[in-house]
Amino acid sequence: MEFSTSIGLMQTGMRLLAAAPPPPAATGLLADLFLERGIEMTPVDLFADFTGAALMFDLAPASEPLPSGLFLSPAGTLSGTPAANAGPLNIVIRAVNPHGEAQS
């Protein structure tokens, strides 16, 4: 740290540190979905079931696969038209960011 008394200025070697985004956390359980073959489902935004920043979504390793015709976007939207009747399914969604992951 340097001080200049002649002009009243102070210089410091302080650095500002940005806080790292928190790891994801699941805030609730996904609602049960019962889907009919050939009928487009209303898209479900799964982002609301998690907290955290910079989240990317996929199926957790322990999840059953999505029925044919359904898709999970990396942004967390589940949508599509099932090719067969489906439900109940054991779908486990995983949210990931550079600081961790959570499942719901």
Side-chain angles (χ1 to χ4, degrees):
M1 190 178 297
E2 294 180 65
F3 295 94
S4 173
T5 56
S6 63
I7 57 173
L9 296 177
M10 180 177 73
Q11 294 180 331
T12 66
M14 294 176 61
R15 292 184 352 194
L16 295 177
L17 300 176
T27 59
L29 296 176
L30 301 176
D32 289 340
L33 296 174
F34 293 93
L35 306 170
E36 291 185 53
R37 177 177 49 93
I39 298 180
E40 184 175 4
M41 67 176 287
T42 301
V44 177
D45 180 10
L46 303 172
F47 196 89
D49 293 322
F50 295 88
T51 61
L55 300 180
M56 298 293 289
F57 294 85
D58 64 1
L59 293 178
S63 179
E64 291 181 20
L66 291 176
S68 179
L70 295 187
F71 305 95
L72 175 62
S73 77
T77 301
L78 181 62
S79 62
T81 303
N85 290 345
L89 299 169
N90 184 23
I91 302 297
V92 182
I93 305 298
R94 175 174 62 177
V96 179
N97 74 10
H99 306 285
E101 68 178 59
Q103 297 180 9
S104 180

